[in-house]
Amino acid sequence: MSERAGGDLAFSALAFALALLPRLYVAIAWAREPVWDGHYYDFGARRIATGLGYSDDLIVGGQAVWHPWCHYPVGYSGFLALVYKLFGAGPHVATVANAVTGALIVVVVHRLARYATTPARARVAALLAALSPGLILYAALLMTEPLAALGLVTAPWLLARDAARGRPARGAVLAGVALGLSALVRPQSLLCAPALALLSWRGAGGASAAWRRGALTAALSAATALAVVAPWTIRNCRVMDGCALVSTNGGWNLAIGAFPRATGRFETLRAGDGCPIARGQVAQDRCWMAAGLQWIKDDPGRWLALIPRKLGFTFDHESFPIGYLGEADPGAWPEERRAAGRRVLTASHLGLLSAAALGVVAMPRWRPRRELAAQLLALAAVLGLVALGVFGDGHAFWPLAVAIPLIAALPLPGRPANGGVVGYLAFAVASVALTHAVFFGEDRYHMVVTPALCILAACALRRGEAAAAGQAGDR
């Protein structure tokens, strides 16, 4: 393991403290009763903590009948249930746990960034994550995104760390455990398993050996992740009305993004939209899945035309934390304060997204000219998209989220090292864009890759691979 990747533990500890303080303040001073989906996560956690499982009670014939759930993923409620079991279910226990989770994200961002770039830039990544207004406010929200984000950055860090120590197999297994736990919080996390191959490509043996190492790493990590998820899947098969890998909201979400009243963001489905018969959660989700696929088949042009709007709702602003806090405590959040909060969060997010797009572009160098031309072209493309977002009629910044994985994958002359950690992070951004292009968009969904954007932003305009080849550790 290199000194660059293994050192600077003191700064990781400092970053944890720096991140924890504002999150603790928000978690204690601003948190109120959970609202929206947070209500269900909290209710599910309390049921689990009291030994009743992920369930509620139905009144049948005047008697309470135990009724199992799996509509929402169980991971976040399970995490809160463990916290409640250990510390009680007081008014700020969950949000303080969120604050600690947010601070741990900052530590992992710093440790992971040291495998992607220089120690100084890794510190910048940690500071960006520590001071992100959106991530700070999320400490007061009983929502899944920070815990899912922690899993998404922990998996590549564990693999990169153990691969550097000469133990790639152990790293692949640990990465799979982290990704499996993240999938119980957010099932789409499993989409990132193939990208773990990027962290094991470098080494002796040429391209064939690199592909073989990558395939083995991805397969081992994916198998481990599925093994972590398997007990929950078996539980669903046993107690629900059918089998479900993690949850039963995939069909609902597809229908929301495809039904005739679809707008590109969340809309409430009604029985009259296509599944009027009351049935079990699995059967109902399958009904909506079939309906969604049929709507797409009947009018694919309309569904495709909604994709820019879905991506716009996902990446063009950041307002969900303010909306949640305003819903939970309307008196403390009059519209003027909400508007100011939305402006701060959106400006911070869009600035981070713009800088992150530069993380896959090298600083142009005068020699050789071919590399200069290629990186100038990539730089111009990113800056053009930023200008389009700032000055265009629609203020669309979502093309930057699409550009990050595309530019990272292009074999442009003089490009920076866009494999390894950077490649994984670009893939994670692509997974969010693809998921919400298919389903529907809301700004809270980009929060899972905000830590990834912090690392990419800290990597902005690095040296190209050829320029850095003779300078150890300078990336």
Side-chain angles (χ1 to χ4, degrees):
M1 179 176 63
S2 69
E3 177 63 25
R4 176 183 57 77
D8 215 9
L9 292 173
F11 186 84
S12 292
L14 179 63
F16 177 84
L18 179 65
L20 185 61
L21 290 176
R23 286 163 173 78
L24 278 179
Y25 174 80
V26 167
I28 295 171
W30 290 3
R32 297 294 183 269
E33 288 291 320
V35 297
W36 296 341
D37 287 357
H39 165 78
Y40 298 101
Y41 296 130
D42 178 64
F43 179 82
R46 292 172 185 272
R47 294 278 295 188
I48 295 171
T50 54
L52 296 172
Y54 202 42
S55 65
D56 61 3
D57 289 327
L58 295 180
I59 304 300
V60 179
Q63 299 292 322
V65 177
W66 182 79
H67 174 243
W69 281 0
C70 75
H71 179 71
Y72 290 103
V74 69
Y76 184 57
S77 289
F79 166 72
L80 291 182
L82 177 61
V83 173
Y84 291 161
K85 197 74 174 176
L86 293 174
F87 304 105
H92 299 302
V93 171
T95 52
V96 168
N98 286 347
V100 174
T101 299
L104 288 174
I105 288 174
V106 174
V107 173
V108 176
V109 162
H110 181 231
R111 306 315 304 169
L112 177 60
R114 291 177 64 83
Y115 292 94
T117 187
T118 63
R121 286 176 179 263
R123 289 184 172 193
V124 171
L127 290 174
L128 288 172
L131 301 177
S132 164
L135 292 179
I136 290 173
L137 289 191
Y138 246 87
L141 281 55
L142 265 61
M143 299 297 294
T144 63
E145 284 74 27
L147 190 61
L150 179 61
L152 280 183
V153 291
T154 298
W157 168 57
L158 292 171
L159 177 54
R161 183 198 65 181
D162 278 4
R165 294 172 174 173
R167 293 182 283 189
R170 191 185 84 153
V173 170
L174 292 177
V177 171
L179 210 58
L181 293 174
S182 182
L184 290 172
V185 179
R186 177 179 175 270
Q188 303 94 309
S189 300
L190 290 173
L191 294 176
C192 290
L196 292 170
L198 298 172
L199 282 83
S200 60
W201 274 4
R202 292 186 180 275
S208 177
W211 278 100
R212 188 162 55 251
R213 280 195 303 271
L216 288 172
T217 295
L220 183 55
S221 295
T224 304
L226 290 174
V228 170
V229 172
W232 182 250
T233 305
I234 293 169
R235 173 266 190 192
N236 291 339
C237 295
R238 182 173 58 84
V239 304
M240 304 299 296
D241 59 304
C243 289
L245 180 66
V246 175
S247 58
T248 57
N249 56 0
W252 289 77
N253 291 343
L254 183 67
I256 290 168
F259 75 138
R261 292 189 293 109
T263 62
R265 65 179 307 177
F266 176 80
E267 301 291 341
T268 301
L269 289 174
R270 305 189 185 103
D273 289 320
C275 293
I277 301 174
R279 58 186 81 196
Q281 286 185 1
V282 176
Q284 194 171 48
D285 190 58
R286 290 174 180 172
C287 177
W288 286 121
M289 178 67 73
L293 291 172
Q294 188 62 49
W295 284 318
I296 294 170
K297 181 179 178 181
D298 291 343
D299 194 353
R302 179 178 181 274
W303 179 74
L304 291 171
L306 282 172
I307 289 177
R309 298 182 66 182
K310 294 175 182 179
L311 294 177
F313 286 127
T314 303
F315 290 105
D316 284 353
H317 67 104
E318 188 168 291
S319 61
F320 182 83
I322 299 296
Y324 183 107
L325 292 172
E327 180 75 11
D329 191 4
W333 291 89
E335 180 52 36
E336 182 178 353
R337 189 183 183 195
R338 294 192 202 191
R342 290 193 294 265
R343 286 194 296 270
V344 170
L345 264 62
T346 296
S348 171
H349 162 66
L350 296 181
L352 182 64
L353 180 60
S354 300
L358 295 174
V360 293
V361 178
M363 175 67 77
R365 302 179 74 249
W366 291 110
R367 294 287 188 274
R369 291 182 180 178
R370 185 164 170 265
E371 296 182 2
L372 171 64
Q375 294 307 307
L376 280 176
L377 181 62
L379 177 60
V382 171
L383 295 180
L385 292 176
V386 173
L388 180 66
V390 173
F391 301 110
D393 291 339
H395 298 291
F397 281 80
W398 64 263
L400 289 167
V402 176
I404 288 172
L406 288 179
I407 296 175
L410 290 174
L412 297 175
R415 69 177 183 171
N418 285 339
V421 171
V422 171
Y424 171 90
L425 298 175
F427 191 99
V429 174
S431 74
V432 172
L434 178 62
T435 296
H436 297 289
V438 171
F439 296 101
F440 64 90
E442 293 288 348
D443 68 288
R444 71 184 177 99
Y445 297 130
H446 75 242
M447 299 300 299
V448 297
V449 289
T450 295
L453 296 179
C454 292
I455 299 177
L456 291 171
C459 290
L461 299 177
R462 294 165 290 155
R463 290 179 179 271
E465 285 185 308
Q471 303 182 37
D474 189 7
R475 301 181 183 181

